[in-house]
Amino acid sequence: MVRQRRNLVTELPGPRSVELERRRTAAVARGVTSTFPVYVAEASGAVLVDVDGNSLIDLGSGIAVVSVGHAAPRVVDAVRTQVGRYGHTCFMVTPYEGYVAVCETLNGRTPGRHDKRTALFNSGAEAVENAVKVARHVTGRQAVVVFDHAYHGRTNLTMALTAKNQPYRDGFGPFAPEIYRVPTSYPMRDPEGMTGEEAAARAIEQIERLVGAHNVACVLIEPIQGEGGFVVPAPGFLPALSAWSREAGALFVADEIQTGFCRTGDWFACDHESVEPDLITTAKALAGGMPLAAVTGRAELMDGVHAGGLGGTYGGNPVACAAAMASVADMEVGDLSAAARRIGTTVGHCLASLQQTHPGVGDVRGRGAMMAMELVRPGTLEPDADATRRIVRACHRAGVVVLSCGSYGNVIRLLPPLVIDEGLLDDGLAVLAGAVNEVLTTPSR
Ligand code: PLZ
């Protein structure tokens, strides 16, 4: 167990990290980048220890993955035990209980008490692809409706579903056809006072006019957008879209890959407005750091696909399944939804007080342990990506890992492990506040 405190013994990145970065440049493809090139040697809870012996506070959780903390003991034990028994058989060849147990757990935990079925995959993008496969197969329709600022992955189909050109799509076309993008609900940038229902009506009008309701296989949406900037839709937006989808005979598919598993203070972000998606995609926090993803949905829909129509060599790998059972157990035992709500209160206070001091903090939003601030030129809605970069860099130099996001690169998001202790979170937030004060009061831009 690594001591849960921040402690710097070199500048960041330190000499060993710099040396590794040199090797990396000569070996790793340039297309794969790192936000903060500090090389990790060990981690536990909410602390990363780098190869130079520095202890950093992790407020990113490997992009919302290690919600149960780094090297969570229950997960580590489950992985060790499983890998010692067998590491792979391929569920499509000779099955094992762990896969079934994860599906039972997801069927029980995801929104809605209806009969469900689940299929397991390796990555979030793969889960989204399979949700679209199911939706097209069972509806016999082709059109997929997605939203401005959406992020769903980097494979060919999911690149097409993702909104932002740089860095995700640029030069990687042609993209999959029959994808239609409509406006989302983005309260900060929507007309003043626009309700969730009005934003939904704006989207629906476009769907009906440009696509035709009877052509829509599914409406695919992140209930709170992740990469797009932690955009929380106005209340009523999701329920209205879900109701319209039902009426139109289209599936309502929630991508809860980033929002799922206690992150927002509920098991799933859809729970907040009692929305019951027909299909839900999960990944990230599901398996506490092992690669695992899932599509869960109404039994009659999931079972509408012919036998053999879904699968993959590694999907639902036994080690990843063991990690998932342990990670979900940690969430239950530790009541990590409550922890996320507590974190949300603490982070919310910090960000709100920064917003009061600095007109450059244009918006503070999020839910539970998924909070963010959007930076703008004071007095405008003009995104300030430069200040965002400088604040992130200042946090990094001080040993606090924070991430940016947003279509305009001007959102700083906080995704701490849900097991972070209060003192450590306070220290991380103090560093962030210091960085914001420094950057937003320095006029040299
Ligand atoms: N859907 C909502 O957040 C992954 C991507 C980081 P994979 N988000 C982090 C990057 O730059 O690649 C994500 C998500 C939502 C789908 C995905 C895709 O999940 O496991 O990365 O394929």
Side-chain angles (χ1 to χ4, degrees):
M1 177 76 178
V2 169
R3 217 172 129 195
Q4 297 297 294
R5 53 144 198 188
R6 180 170 63 104
N7 183 41
L8 302 187
V9 297
T10 72
E11 288 198 344
L12 292 176
R16 292 209 163 119
S17 279
V18 170
E19 180 51 34
L20 282 166
E21 189 65 3
R22 222 174 278 134
R23 269 172 62 193
R24 174 228 184 101
T25 309
V28 179
R30 192 171 66 124
V32 185
T33 56
S34 302
T35 307
F36 186 25
V38 157
Y39 284 73
V40 176
E42 200 183 345
S44 83
V47 169
L48 302 168
V49 180
D50 75 3
V51 287
D52 291 288
N54 297 297
S55 292
L56 288 70
I57 304 178
D58 185 4
L59 300 184
S61 302
I63 323 190
V65 170
V66 290
S67 292
V68 296
H70 291 280
R74 199 192 304 267
V75 175
V76 172
D77 283 350
V79 165
R80 281 206 176 112
T81 304
Q82 181 56 49
V83 85
R85 285 186 184 141
Y86 57 89
H88 176 80
T89 67
C90 186
F91 191 73
M92 299 189 306
V93 179
T94 45
Y96 37 88
E97 185 187 352
Y99 191 114
V100 179
V102 171
C103 294
E104 287 168 347
T105 301
L106 284 164
N107 295 345
R109 277 289 169 201
T110 50
R113 296 275 64 89
H114 48 276
D115 196 19
K116 295 177 202 145
R117 299 287 185 274
T118 291
L120 301 179
F121 305 96
N122 301 292
S123 68
E126 208 189 341
V128 172
E129 293 242 358
N130 278 279
V132 171
K133 278 170 68 173
V134 171
R136 284 178 168 158
H137 191 95
V138 301
T139 60
R141 305 172 177 185
Q142 296 183 349
V144 177
V145 172
V146 290
F147 293 83
D148 284 340
H149 313 289
Y151 183 91
H152 297 291
R154 293 174 180 266
T155 57
N156 185 262
L157 174 61
T158 58
M159 265 194 298
L161 301 168
T162 291
K164 197 172 166 182
N165 180 52
Q166 265 290 350
Y168 308 122
R169 299 161 51 110
D170 200 24
F172 296 132
F175 302 108
E178 288 302 315
I179 312 286
Y180 299 91
R181 192 171 309 283
V182 298
T184 189
S185 164
Y186 194 152
M188 174 197 180
R189 295 183 178 279
D190 282 340
E192 182 94 41
M194 181 180 247
T195 65
E197 288 79 3
E198 287 161 357
R202 176 176 64 180
I204 288 163
E205 187 279 326
Q206 290 203 13
I207 302 170
E208 290 178 343
R209 178 163 47 86
L210 303 175
V211 192
H214 61 284
N215 291 317
V216 179
C218 64
V219 172
L220 168 66
I221 191 161
E222 299 156 89
I224 297 177
Q225 289 182 325
E227 303 307 305
F230 281 27
V231 181
V232 185
F237 182 68
L238 296 171
L241 282 174
S242 153
W244 179 86
S245 303
R246 196 173 317 119
E247 196 99 321
L251 307 197
F252 185 75
V253 184
D255 179 347
E256 292 237 22
I257 286 164
Q258 192 153 161
T259 48
F261 300 100
C262 306
R263 175 54 58 185
T264 64
D266 273 307
W267 275 88
F268 295 94
C270 280
D271 290 330
H272 190 74
E273 287 188 279
S274 304
V275 169
E276 295 182 1
D278 298 301
L279 304 179
I280 177 169
T281 57
T282 55
K284 289 190 185 280
L286 165 61
M290 295 298 287
L292 186 66
V295 181
T296 301
R298 292 184 183 284
E300 67 277 16
L301 301 173
M302 293 298 289
D303 283 343
V305 174
H306 53 274
L310 304 174
T313 305
Y314 291 111
N317 167 272
V319 182
C321 286
M325 294 309 289
S327 145
V328 170
D330 267 1
M331 292 172 196
E332 284 165 354
V333 173
D335 194 358
L336 294 192
S337 285
R341 293 193 290 272
R342 280 197 301 276
I343 291 169
T345 306
T346 307
V347 175
H349 281 142
C350 168
L351 299 185
S353 87
L354 289 171
Q355 186 179 22
Q356 295 216 312
T357 327
H358 300 287
V361 179
D363 195 22
V364 169
R365 58 179 180 251
R367 191 181 301 145
M370 187 172 180
M371 296 292 296
M373 61 182 153
E374 175 158 0
L375 298 164
V376 294
R377 308 252 167 220
T380 73
L381 288 181
E382 216 184 296
D384 196 344
D386 179 57
T388 306
R389 261 189 304 273
R390 290 167 61 206
I391 293 166
V392 167
R393 225 180 295 133
C395 290
H396 289 178
R397 271 199 303 269
V400 178
V401 179
V402 297
L403 305 172
S404 62
C405 63
S407 288
Y408 315 105
N410 66 327
V411 177
I412 295 177
R413 59 172 153 174
L414 299 171
L415 289 165
L418 304 179
V419 296
I420 191 168
D421 38 87
E422 240 169 86
L424 201 62
L425 180 60
D426 289 342
D427 184 26
L429 292 174
V431 167
L432 173 66
V436 171
N437 291 333
E438 181 193 308
V439 169
L440 294 189
T441 46
T442 316
S444 66
R445 308 218 295 272

